[in-house]
Amino acid sequence: MQLPFGYYPVGNSLYPLALDLFMPTVFFFFFGAAYRTARYFAFYNKPFVPYTSSLRGISTREKIKDLVNTFANSSKLGIKRKPVTTAAGLLMHISLIVIIFLLAQHMVFWAYYIPPYKVLFPLAIPESSVDGELAFTRASLPLTPTPYPFVHDIWGPLTVILNGQYITYLLMILLGIYLGHKFHILGERLALRAGDWWFFVLLYIDIILGFLATSHIPNNVVDYDNLLGAHILVAEILIATLPFTRGFHMFEFYLGKMREWYFTVYRRGEK
Amino acid sequence: MTQAIAEKVNMDALKRAIDEVFYSQIDSTTLYYFQSCVNCKACEVACPFTPTSLHYSPVNKAEISRQLYRYRFSIWGKTIGKVIGGSKKYLTLNEAETMVDYVWHCTNCGACMFVCPMAIDSGALIDLLRQVAFKAGMVPKIYRDIADLEISGKYWDVDFFKNAWNSLISKIKDAIGKEVPLDKKKSEILFYASLYEAMVYPDVLVKVAKILDMLNKDWTFMSKPLGIRPPIGLVIGDKEGAIKVMQRVYSYFTDISPKYVMMTAGGFEYPSLRYTMHETFKVKPTYEVVHVTELLAKWYENNEFEIEPLDEIITWHDPCQLGRRGGVFEAPRVLMKALSKKFKELPSHGVNSFCCSRGGGGCGVPTMVENMAKTLGIAISEDDKKFLDSTIEPLIKAGKIKVNEINKVKAKEVMTGCPVCIESIGFSIDYYHANSQVKHIIDVLADRMKVNKK
Ligand code: SF4
Ligand code: SF4
């Protein structure tokens, strides 16, 4: 089947299309990020600082301690007062980071576009827990063009937990909890935004697509190519729209917390 | 109440107010608050109003301002947002009603910002809505009347106020056994107090004066107060009114030109007169505004006096405005630790201190507001009465959490540094029959200080 996409010879699969759209995705992302950042500059007013306290000053050491606390406070308090959603949220973030940046297949993808990424190869997480070997390189010599000895990982028995399949199951459950949370919000008639659905639903679909592709469900090459292509395409939609969605919090989180610390600790200069 | 207010709403005024507030107040900080929320609802746990209803959670209240923002400042908001409901140009009558209800269910305590993973100050966004409500004439009349009295300066014509202030000055005179230094320029310390404080805890103010005298400080007091609780305008969304009052305060402070302006109240006056006032006028003052605990902690650490400790469990309630908004956490603890070896922290303290649900925007315990209005001859309308009654439920719900925490540490005495916290925690302690008392720290400290002779 020839997909109708202008003059583009996509053949029978979404896969090459997805790969070729990666660079435009990155371009869109940077364009959006620049737009978002430029707005901050456009609205920037230099704050007027009347004075910082001279009465009871705060040492540099305490300032740094406070910086750590600033970042940790929301998790600390959340675990105490809202343990289930906080724990689910934290675990989901960790799992997502691990799977996006350390899953062996993803690492090969990143290293293709950003070659220095390969220094992280020793940390690669295998797809399955079978025996600590990377499943997709197991049966034969590397199938990817990478010349690196990419077979035994350093995780040893930890691979029982740290493997693509397990983390994906976990992610599907955790994101399911969050989606349930969204329905609860809807039921309570509390504020819910279109952007919430956009990000969550796309992420969920993307994880399922990735899971189906790597697990070869259904087990034939055409479907594999299409599923993998769709997985990458959905990820590309997520990346391209990041600057316009809540997904951008992965960058702004640092900005917000640094700002809080700067205003409440550094600028007041008191304890 | 909101229904009654809504019936009198001038929709044109409301539209104008929305435009004015939203177009004039956007900066990179508010922009960040508007667009970076991930709707994770972590802020729910911090807000003293969520035990009443999840509709009062910070993110839910702030969403109205986000919708108004999106229409004005985002491409999505102007296009798709209109269709899918994420943005609004103006508010309908019903929505305006909800907005008014929401803004009086936020004390601008700042707790949501510290627990928000994105550090979003929902209180600041709700404050914008409060300004809209004020400009549209949707503020409860009782608050507006009290604020107007402060702004016009006519509070000094009210005999009740004048007598309260003059009687405070004569009590101070009796306590120190000499004339009270009044409006003395270039004193080291300007002992600042408001009319409100003179009415709710005159004894605390007398004790502060006694301490200053005992420690032989160069201090002065005010012959006339600078307002009822200046700048009340900031609390009810009246920025312009607040600026007028702050001008009066700033010119008095500058005229006296002390080294320290020392406050006993750690409510919204503290960050307002310390930061907001100077930031608004863009002036670097020659004095420093401090809370009484800051100076006392410094003098204690300099061995100017000793503290005879109590033998009981005591705890400190961090007032939101003194702590989170003002940055003062350590100084009261220096004194509290000296006051008792059995000093214990409340489970929620420091930046996570749980708000008593009354401060800025909660505007005191309703019975007290009613009494104040009565003494001022301000008629309490049916609407006002309903409004004040509606503020009781959050007070009871948040009070339960506070009292449970006090009971958990088994504190005999809860000390704090803000008149409204004293009132509201006192209310909760009575309501739940807790075996504890709440006091201004000075109340206890003054009687246990021993001056070291140099
Ligand atoms: S905690 Fe912060 S990011 Fe989460 S919903 Fe509340 S305001 Fe939004
Ligand atoms: S500022 Fe305080 S009262 Fe207002 S929304 Fe935030 S936590 Fe609630």
Side-chain angles (χ1 to χ4, degrees):
Chain A
M1 185 185 73
Q2 184 83 26
L3 286 178
F5 192 79
Y7 301 113
Y8 192 83
V10 290
N12 284 330
S13 139
L14 288 176
Y15 182 61
L17 170 67
L19 286 187
D20 281 1
L21 285 178
F22 186 66
M23 287 325 263
T25 300
V26 172
F27 172 78
F28 270 114
F29 168 78
F30 277 109
F31 172 77
Y35 168 71
R36 187 151 176 158
T37 314
R39 274 158 55 97
Y40 286 124
F41 283 106
F43 286 112
Y44 180 75
N45 282 331
K46 195 170 183 292
F48 181 83
V49 187
Y51 55 83
T52 50
S53 181
S54 65
L55 194 62
R56 296 182 53 77
I58 177 166
S59 67
T60 311
R61 224 180 115 229
E62 283 165 316
K63 278 183 195 154
I64 294 169
K65 209 177 116 203
D66 271 333
L67 180 63
V68 177
N69 277 340
T70 303
F71 277 92
N73 192 52
S74 95
S75 308
K76 277 202 300 202
L77 200 67
I79 284 286
K80 255 201 227 156
R81 298 198 189 154
K82 240 184 153 184
V84 177
T85 41
T86 309
L90 285 173
L91 209 54
M92 180 191 69
H93 278 88
I94 296 170
S95 310
L96 261 180
I97 292 168
V98 165
I99 212 145
I100 293 173
F101 295 106
L102 294 185
L103 184 76
Q105 289 94 323
H106 289 163
M107 291 185 94
V108 175
F109 187 86
W110 299 128
Y112 177 77
Y113 289 102
I114 314 163
Y117 199 86
K118 48 191 180 227
V119 296
L120 294 179
F121 275 177
L123 298 177
I125 286 180
E127 179 205 320
S128 91
S129 63
V130 179
D131 59 1
E133 277 187 335
L134 297 167
F136 81 111
T137 55
R138 213 176 140 214
S140 57
L141 284 168
L143 297 169
T144 61
T146 170
Y148 292 86
F150 205 38
V151 178
H152 290 286
D153 63 86
I154 63 161
W155 301 108
L158 269 182
T159 339
V160 175
I161 304 171
L162 284 177
N163 64 76
Q165 268 172 345
Y166 182 84
I167 299 175
T168 307
Y169 291 142
L170 196 67
L171 266 175
M172 288 198 274
I173 296 168
L174 294 171
L175 278 168
I177 294 176
Y178 262 76
L179 278 175
H181 193 219
K182 297 282 162 235
F183 282 109
H184 169 77
I185 294 170
L186 200 65
E188 295 279 327
R189 301 184 52 223
L190 300 170
L192 194 60
R193 308 160 193 153
D196 293 345
W197 295 111
W198 174 266
F199 195 75
F200 264 104
V201 174
L202 277 187
L203 191 59
Y204 211 115
I205 292 173
D206 202 32
I207 288 169
I208 292 172
L209 287 171
F211 171 76
L212 293 177
T214 22
S215 309
H216 297 277
I217 309 172
N219 192 7
N220 68 63
V221 176
V222 175
D223 286 330
Y224 173 80
D225 262 18
N226 281 328
L227 282 170
L228 189 59
H231 169 67
I232 299 172
L233 274 175
V234 173
E236 283 167 349
I237 297 171
L238 273 176
I239 294 171
T241 54
L242 266 190
F244 306 101
T245 67
R246 52 184 291 164
F248 210 63
H249 78 276
M250 68 176 74
F251 307 103
E252 284 185 341
F253 164 69
Y254 304 96
L255 178 75
K257 282 291 165 190
M258 282 301 286
R259 190 197 157 274
E260 175 195 323
W261 173 81
Y262 171 72
F263 272 79
T264 55
V265 177
Y266 186 86
R267 230 172 76 169
R268 288 190 193 138
E270 66 192 331
K271 46 183 174 170
Chain B
M1 186 286 303
T2 51
Q3 184 62 43
I5 280 185
E7 278 161 15
K8 294 167 204 151
V9 171
N10 173 342
M11 292 308 279
D12 287 335
L14 178 64
K15 286 180 180 174
R16 258 198 320 275
I18 289 174
D19 280 342
E20 277 173 30
V21 168
F22 281 84
Y23 285 126
S24 68
Q25 305 228 4
I26 189 95
D27 62 17
S28 43
T29 302
T30 39
L31 182 68
Y32 174 80
Y33 292 161
F34 277 131
Q35 66 182 14
S36 302
C37 170
V38 291
N39 210 3
C40 65
K41 302 200 177 285
C43 48
E44 270 174 8
V45 298
C47 183
F49 294 96
T50 38
T52 307
S53 162
L54 280 182
H55 286 269
Y56 298 135
S57 82
V59 61
N60 203 59
K61 290 179 279 190
E63 182 62 15
I64 298 182
S65 62
R66 288 204 166 88
Q67 290 175 338
L68 296 170
Y69 145 80
R70 281 188 207 113
Y71 185 87
R72 285 158 181 76
F73 295 98
S74 89
I75 297 166
W76 301 125
K78 270 200 194 303
T79 52
I80 309 166
K82 276 200 298 189
V83 185
I84 56 177
S87 89
K88 282 196 173 71
K89 188 170 186 192
Y90 296 115
L91 299 176
T92 63
L93 204 58
N94 275 346
E95 290 161 348
E97 248 187 81
T98 308
M99 174 188 79
V100 173
D101 185 39
Y102 285 177
V103 299
W104 294 107
H105 284 88
C106 170
T107 51
N108 209 356
C109 72
C112 46
M113 172 164 113
F114 288 85
V115 71
C116 168
M118 303 300 291
I120 289 167
D121 186 356
S122 295
L125 301 187
I126 297 160
D127 191 52
L128 293 179
L129 298 176
R130 217 187 319 261
Q131 291 176 42
V132 169
F134 179 84
K135 281 189 189 227
M138 298 168 82
V139 168
K141 188 174 170 301
I142 194 163
Y143 290 170
R144 212 186 44 224
D145 285 351
I146 294 173
D148 283 349
L149 206 57
E150 175 171 291
I151 294 160
S152 67
K154 291 201 177 121
Y155 57 89
W156 195 238
D157 300 339
V158 179
D159 283 343
F160 176 76
F161 279 162
K162 207 183 247 179
N163 294 341
W165 194 258
N166 289 337
S167 123
L168 171 67
I169 293 180
S170 51
K171 275 188 199 156
I172 295 178
K173 184 179 166 194
D174 292 346
I176 61 174
K178 56 184 166 207
E179 284 302 322
V180 182
L182 292 175
D183 306 325
K184 198 169 81 160
K185 294 188 181 176
K186 301 262 176 225
S187 303
E188 186 192 2
I189 297 154
L190 164 62
F191 172 18
Y192 170 88
S194 68
L195 250 178
Y196 177 80
E197 289 177 274
M199 291 189 308
V200 300
Y201 56 36
D203 299 346
V204 169
L205 300 181
V206 172
K207 285 182 182 180
V208 172
K210 233 168 120 182
I211 292 175
L212 292 171
D213 184 63
M214 251 164 43
L215 294 172
N216 217 3
K217 296 293 172 188
D218 171 24
W219 64 284
T220 184
F221 193 59
M222 300 139 74
S223 57
K224 279 185 202 168
L226 303 170
I228 297 172
R229 206 181 160 205
I232 281 185
L234 282 189
V235 179
I236 66 165
D238 180 8
K239 248 188 150 177
E240 281 149 31
I243 286 176
K244 281 191 198 145
V245 174
M246 289 193 294
Q247 264 155 355
R248 186 191 308 149
V249 175
Y250 178 64
S251 80
Y252 182 78
F253 286 1
T254 315
D255 189 37
I256 299 294
S257 201
K259 187 165 177 204
Y260 299 113
V261 173
M262 186 192 75
M263 305 175 87
T264 319
F268 70 83
E269 308 95 311
Y270 184 81
S272 305
L273 300 186
R274 184 181 172 115
Y275 303 111
T276 318
M277 179 167 85
H278 304 108
E279 281 165 6
T280 308
F281 300 147
K282 297 207 183 325
V283 286
K284 285 201 185 282
T286 51
Y287 50 81
E288 192 168 339
V289 179
V290 294
H291 188 251
V292 60
T293 53
E294 290 176 271
L295 274 178
L296 285 175
K298 183 182 151 184
W299 295 334
Y300 175 71
E301 285 170 333
N302 287 348
N303 282 323
E304 293 188 37
F305 64 88
E306 278 166 27
I307 297 174
E308 191 192 324
L310 293 157
D311 185 34
E312 57 189 31
I313 301 175
I314 58 173
T315 191
W316 173 256
H317 161 75
D318 283 292
C320 307
Q321 308 292 327
L322 180 67
R324 264 187 298 268
R325 299 267 186 221
V328 179
F329 293 113
E330 192 68 21
R333 283 172 173 78
V334 169
L335 302 170
M336 291 296 289
K337 283 176 190 160
L339 258 174
S340 172
K341 287 216 163 43
K342 296 180 186 165
F343 164 69
K344 279 196 183 160
E345 292 283 13
L346 286 168
S348 309
H349 62 271
V351 294
N352 299 321
S353 170
F354 192 72
C355 171
C356 63
S357 94
R358 284 303 93 175
C363 284
V365 175
T367 42
M368 174 247 127
V369 179
E370 264 177 67
N371 289 341
M372 174 129 90
K374 271 184 202 148
T375 37
L376 294 175
I378 296 173
I380 303 173
S381 66
E382 224 13 65
D383 295 347
D384 282 347
K385 181 84 184 100
K386 273 193 209 145
F387 168 70
L388 290 173
D389 288 347
S390 76
T391 63
I392 291 270
E393 195 194 345
L395 182 60
I396 292 172
K397 294 262 170 73
K400 186 167 191 199
I401 294 175
K402 185 56 82 182
V403 167
N404 284 347
E405 292 206 348
I406 295 168
N407 288 342
K408 199 164 178 193
V409 297
K410 299 192 176 71
K412 275 267 165 292
E413 291 198 279
V414 185
M415 290 177 215
T416 189
C418 161
V420 173
C421 296
I422 294 173
E423 247 188 293
S424 49
I425 296 175
F427 172 93
S428 308
I429 284 176
D430 284 349
Y431 189 87
Y432 292 103
H433 307 295
N435 183 22
S436 192
Q437 276 188 315
V438 57
K439 289 180 175 166
H440 195 290
I441 187 172
I442 295 297
D443 230 355
V444 184
L445 190 68
D447 302 332
R448 313 197 73 85
M449 281 173 58
K450 274 199 301 201
V451 178
N452 286 333
K453 294 273 173 284
K454 282 197 182 143

